[in-house]
Amino acid sequence: MEQRLTWQNLSHQLKVLNEGSSLLSKIFSNGVLREIKIEDLTALPEYQSGIADLLINYGVLSEDNGYVAIESPHLEYFLDSQAVNRISVGAVQDSVDQLYVAIQNFQTEKNDKKKQHYLRDVQKVLGHVALQSMKQVTILKHEIREVYKQEPNLEKKIKLLEKFKEQGDTIYGIIEKCEKMLNTETMFFDVTCDEKTKKLKSDVSNTLISCHNWLSDITQDALQYLTQFREMIITNKKLRKLKELYDLRVLEGETDIVERLRASSPLWLNKPYPQSYKVSVNSVVNDFPPEKLKALLTSNGLSARKRPLSEPLTEEDMTPAKKEVRFIDIGAVWNKFKGTSGDLMTYINDHRLSEHGTWEENLTLFCMVTEAHIQECKFNGYQIQNGIRYPLVYAK
């Protein structure tokens, strides 16, 4: 067996393919099987002397029993490049039809050599059926999801989904027919065929079953999307009409929207959960006299609750409480401290600058003065007093 040549580089590969482009194009367009007889090949105007042998040597074409065909990797690439993300129901139907023709030719042929040729056709078409079915189902699933996510126009989205659902139903029917044909041709696959064809038929049947199940889920998703978007259109029309009536101030008069909302018992119409409110003594005295306060509590159902009652408020309790707080000027404390040589905490303790002169108040004042004049402070060591460690702060 002659060993195939290897490509020297990408430039060399492109050069050989370019020289055989006309011949490859002719073979590729020659029916679903993409093969041609050698004697017919030499009669083609696209045929050039030696180009077919060159393509065979490089593995682009294959020769078998007097026929030349494009090798599988290149054939799949050409098929993909011709229909990127395009759903083709006819491609699946053509494959199934060609499979039926190949089986009939094999069964009716008497010549053993030709029977082997038709058997090879059956094997090729079986692989092509599986390839096209899987490819079209994958593209259909991708297209439906892309339309669902990306298409902004709601009307166009519905039309595309209807089209894809119809195509999915058609492919579903074709695959069902193909499965039925594979199951009914028991005489051919179980008795007549060799082991290779039987195994190939089993693999194709499993692939078609998977495509069958996927298509069922895909068409169900498309139907669900269609129902959802149609309901959205109806809802949007109703909302636009309600907004128009609301803008004209005739919404409640010309519609029964309030009664419908009450009948539906939405959450926002339910009685709110009782909440407690805190009010100041001054607010109660000035804004809520005892009679008004009692009526308010009764209307909110608070009087029925069993709880201990407090003693009535005296006149002294009702008098607003006043408390005078000594004002400490932080800036004045710092200005006086800058003229000393000691640390800030000692200065505050010695001069009793806080309100009552306690340790906690002095420490609070120390922190306030330090924070307000942090850029003018100089830190030099630490000291512990009453269990608290604080820095020694000096004026720069």
Side-chain angles (χ1 to χ4, degrees), residues 154-169:
L154 203 56
E155 298 285 352
K156 187 175 180 182
K157 191 190 293 275
I158 290 178
K159 290 182 180 179
L160 288 174
L161 286 174
E162 289 175 343
K163 173 186 174 184
F164 292 147
K165 183 182 181 302
E166 181 180 349
Q167 291 176 330
D169 292 338

Side-chain angles (χ1 to χ4, degrees), residues 115-178:
K115 286 179 75 72
Q116 291 301 315
H117 168 70
Y118 288 129
L119 182 61
R120 184 172 56 85
D121 289 350
V122 171
Q123 295 172 356
K124 284 190 175 183
V125 179
L126 273 174
H128 195 65
V129 167
L131 175 65
Q132 283 295 340
S133 300
M134 183 68 69
K135 178 181 177 180
Q136 296 303 322
V137 171
T138 304
I139 295 176
L140 181 65
K141 182 177 181 179
H142 172 76
E143 287 295 309
I144 289 177
R145 291 191 174 182
E146 282 298 307
V147 169
Y148 176 77
K149 294 178 181 179
Q150 304 295 338
E151 177 57 48
N153 188 295
L154 203 56
E155 298 285 352
K156 187 175 180 182
K157 191 190 293 275
I158 290 178
K159 290 182 180 179
L160 288 174
L161 286 174
E162 289 175 343
K163 173 186 174 184
F164 292 147
K165 183 182 181 302
E166 181 180 349
Q167 291 176 330
D169 292 338
T170 305
I171 297 175
Y172 188 91
I174 295 173
I175 291 178
E176 276 191 332
K177 291 180 181 179
C178 186

Side-chain angles (χ1 to χ4, degrees), residues 328-336 373:
I328 301 176
D329 189 346
I330 303 298
V333 173
W334 177 259
N335 291 333
K336 292 180 181 180
H373 300 84

Side-chain angles (χ1 to χ4, degrees), residues 100-275:
Y100 179 79
V101 171
I103 293 175
Q104 294 299 317
N105 290 338
F106 177 87
Q107 293 175 335
T108 57
E109 183 59 50
K110 303 300 182 182
N111 186 289
D112 291 338
K113 185 176 181 181
K114 289 187 177 181
K115 286 179 75 72
Q116 291 301 315
H117 168 70
Y118 288 129
L119 182 61
R120 184 172 56 85
D121 289 350
V122 171
Q123 295 172 356
K124 284 190 175 183
V125 179
L126 273 174
H128 195 65
V129 167
L131 175 65
Q132 283 295 340
S133 300
M134 183 68 69
K135 178 181 177 180
Q136 296 303 322
V137 171
T138 304
I139 295 176
L140 181 65
K141 182 177 181 179
H142 172 76
E143 287 295 309
I144 289 177
R145 291 191 174 182
E146 282 298 307
V147 169
Y148 176 77
K149 294 178 181 179
Q150 304 295 338
E151 177 57 48
N153 188 295
L154 203 56
E155 298 285 352
K156 187 175 180 182
K157 191 190 293 275
I158 290 178
K159 290 182 180 179
L160 288 174
L161 286 174
E162 289 175 343
K163 173 186 174 184
F164 292 147
K165 183 182 181 302
E166 181 180 349
Q167 291 176 330
D169 292 338
T170 305
I171 297 175
Y172 188 91
I174 295 173
I175 291 178
E176 276 191 332
K177 291 180 181 179
C178 186
E179 288 179 318
K180 185 177 180 180
M181 182 185 67
L182 293 178
N183 293 329
T184 54
E185 294 289 344
T186 54
M187 180 63 68
F188 173 75
F189 287 107
D190 297 340
V191 179
T192 310
C193 292
D194 56 3
E195 292 300 324
K196 178 181 178 182
T197 309
K198 291 179 182 179
K199 184 178 183 306
L200 184 59
K201 179 254 183 182
S202 177
D203 295 340
V204 172
S205 296
N206 293 333
T207 301
L208 292 179
I209 291 173
S210 299
C211 293
H212 194 277
N213 296 333
W214 290 343
L215 269 175
S216 179
D217 295 337
I218 291 171
T219 51
Q220 185 65 30
D221 289 343
L223 182 60
Q224 182 180 353
Y225 297 156
L226 282 171
T227 303
Q228 175 184 345
F229 293 136
R230 284 167 181 161
E231 290 177 352
M232 286 177 60
I233 289 179
I234 296 174
T235 303
N236 289 340
K237 288 181 180 179
K238 290 181 178 179
L239 289 176
R240 284 195 295 268
K241 182 63 177 177
L242 288 175
K243 185 180 184 304
E244 179 183 353
L245 294 174
Y246 176 80
D247 293 340
L248 297 175
R249 300 293 188 270
V250 293
L251 178 62
E252 295 184 7
E254 296 188 6
T255 66
D256 58 345
I257 185 171
V258 177
E259 289 73 12
R260 285 180 175 271
L261 290 175
R262 285 190 180 132
S264 64
S265 299
L267 181 64
W268 62 276
L269 282 177
N270 292 345
K271 186 177 180 180
Y273 186 80
Q275 298 182 7

